[in-house]
Amino acid sequence: MKKIAFLIVLLISASSCVSTKSTLKNVDDNAPDLILKKDNTFSITQFAKDKKYGYDPDYPINIFFQNTNNEALNEVRFLNALAGPNGEKITFHRLETCCPFPTKRSNMGAGFLNVYELKWEGQKKPVKLYLNIYEKGILMVPMGLRLKQN
């Protein structure tokens, strides 16, 4: 009886970790597939007009590309295409994984956002971006950043 009670409690707590309704606001399954450039970065042609894009967990940068097997590779392909506000070279590292949400593109039925910190010379405060490898969306440069010039 104790084992059954423990199993029920375990199932309830596991299912409560991920909401059945996504809070992500900018998912677009009809977005065009991402294109890789010769320098192994994503081709980005649009600039965000919404201050929340990339900076808010409900408006992450959706970088689904072919599959989710190598999330770091796709994140690096996006981040390496960016520069600071005046064209500065940026450095970045992953801070954490957060913000679970339901998705059909994961074996678990749930996805997570990866939070990256970006820095560049002359910056007063590091920038945090929320990246989502599970969903599609229009890929844009977040406000305050630029595309790296080759």
Side-chain angles (χ1 to χ4, degrees):
M1 189 67 168
K2 286 183 180 180
K3 288 183 181 181
I4 292 173
F6 176 73
L7 185 59
I8 290 171
V9 169
L10 184 63
L11 286 172
I12 290 171
S13 63
S15 66
S16 67
C17 290
V18 177
S19 170
T20 58
K21 185 171 183 334
S22 179
T23 61
L24 303 181
K25 307 286 192 270
N26 58 343
V27 172
D28 182 357
D29 285 329
N30 297 317
D33 290 336
L34 300 178
I35 298 169
L36 275 177
K37 296 181 354 186
K38 289 181 182 177
D39 66 355
N40 203 32
T41 62
F42 286 125
S43 175
I44 307 169
T45 59
Q46 295 187 42
F47 291 78
K49 293 177 177 61
D50 186 338
K51 292 181 203 177
K52 293 180 181 180
Y53 178 78
Y55 298 105
D56 183 305
D58 286 338
Y59 297 86
I61 299 160
N62 298 313
I63 55 171
F64 178 77
F65 179 70
Q66 296 177 344
N67 63 57
T68 59
N69 290 341
N70 193 343
E71 67 186 67
L73 176 62
N74 291 334
E75 292 169 337
V76 168
R77 287 171 169 165
F78 171 75
L79 294 168
N80 278 337
L82 302 177
N86 298 308
E88 300 93 344
K89 177 180 171 49
I90 63 168
T91 59
F92 54 85
H93 71 277
R94 188 182 336 189
L95 290 176
E96 63 181 328
T97 299
C98 74
C99 319
F101 60 90
T103 181
K104 294 177 181 157
R105 290 193 172 105
S106 167
N107 294 337
M108 298 182 301
F112 297 89
L113 302 179
N114 289 325
V115 184
Y116 277 82
E117 181 178 72
L118 281 63
K119 295 180 182 178
W120 56 85
E121 192 173 315
Q123 180 186 39
K124 290 183 175 35
K125 181 180 173 189
V127 168
K128 282 189 202 177
L129 290 180
Y130 293 86
L131 303 180
N132 173 9
I133 62 151
Y134 297 96
E135 305 298 340
K136 288 179 74 176
I138 304 294
L139 194 61
M140 296 182 276
V141 176
M143 288 183 86
L145 298 174
R146 295 177 64 178
L147 285 172
K148 181 169 64 173
Q149 299 299 313
N150 293 331

